[in-house]
Amino acid sequence: MQSDRPINLSKYLYNIFMKKIAFEGSSLDDLREFPPTARNEAGYQLDKVQHGLEPDDFKPMPTVGKGVWELRITDEAGQFRVIYIAKLKDAIHVLHCFQKKSQKTAQKDLDISNKRLRELQQGLKS
């Protein structure tokens, strides 16, 4: 049975090309620990990535892996980071979310991101 309601084509096209997001490890819980303004900004920027757009402030993270990016979020509570890979066909995979405490990214945060990327890649191979 066909509906007489018109289709909102722009909303349909906006959502049809949207990639899903997969949070690896504790990354979703870690993101939920961000202050509300930083959490909202992270969500907005990830939505842009889902729709094939570039986020406002990001940089490649070749030390973690090829195709891995870092979202950079700054608000009154500090600096926050979301490490993700978007080049895989199935989803955007968020590897790690954390508050940055110093100018240089802590080795612990790089290690967590590397470990989750390796686990993701191994899971895709099996």
Side-chain angles (χ1 to χ4, degrees):
M1 184 169 156
Q2 189 171 350
S3 171
D4 291 336
R5 292 187 311 162
I7 295 174
N8 183 337
L9 188 58
S10 62
K11 185 175 182 180
Y12 173 76
L13 291 175
Y14 182 79
N15 289 319
I16 195 169
F17 297 109
M18 185 171 79
K19 273 184 148 179
K20 71 178 186 170
I21 294 183
F23 290 90
E24 306 300 327
S26 64
S27 60
L28 179 57
D29 291 332
D30 298 335
L31 179 61
R32 287 178 174 154
E33 293 296 319
F34 283 15
T37 55
R39 189 173 56 243
N40 289 343
E41 183 63 20
Y44 174 70
Q45 297 302 324
L46 286 170
D47 182 73
K48 289 177 84 169
V49 175
Q50 280 184 286
H51 291 90
L53 304 172
E54 287 187 356
D56 295 337
D57 190 2
F58 70 115
K59 72 172 193 165
M61 293 294 288
T63 55
V64 176
K66 187 176 180 181
V68 176
W69 296 88
E70 174 186 67
L71 278 178
R72 302 184 311 183
I73 299 159
T74 302
D75 80 351
E76 63 275 354
Q79 296 185 6
F80 300 86
R81 301 295 187 258
V82 177
I83 308 293
Y84 70 94
I85 184 164
K87 72 176 191 169
L88 304 175
K89 289 182 182 177
D90 68 324
I92 296 158
H93 293 269
V94 176
L95 303 173
H96 188 38
C97 301
F98 59 97
Q99 182 172 9
K100 195 164 179 182
K101 305 280 186 184
S102 65
Q103 185 72 19
K104 186 176 179 185
T105 302
Q107 188 61 47
K108 166 188 74 122
D109 293 310
L110 294 172
D111 292 344
I112 290 169
S113 299
N114 276 305
K115 179 179 181 282
R116 290 181 181 161
L117 179 60
R118 281 193 313 274
E119 291 169 351
L120 173 63
Q121 290 169 333
Q122 288 172 349
L124 292 175
K125 288 180 184 177
S126 45

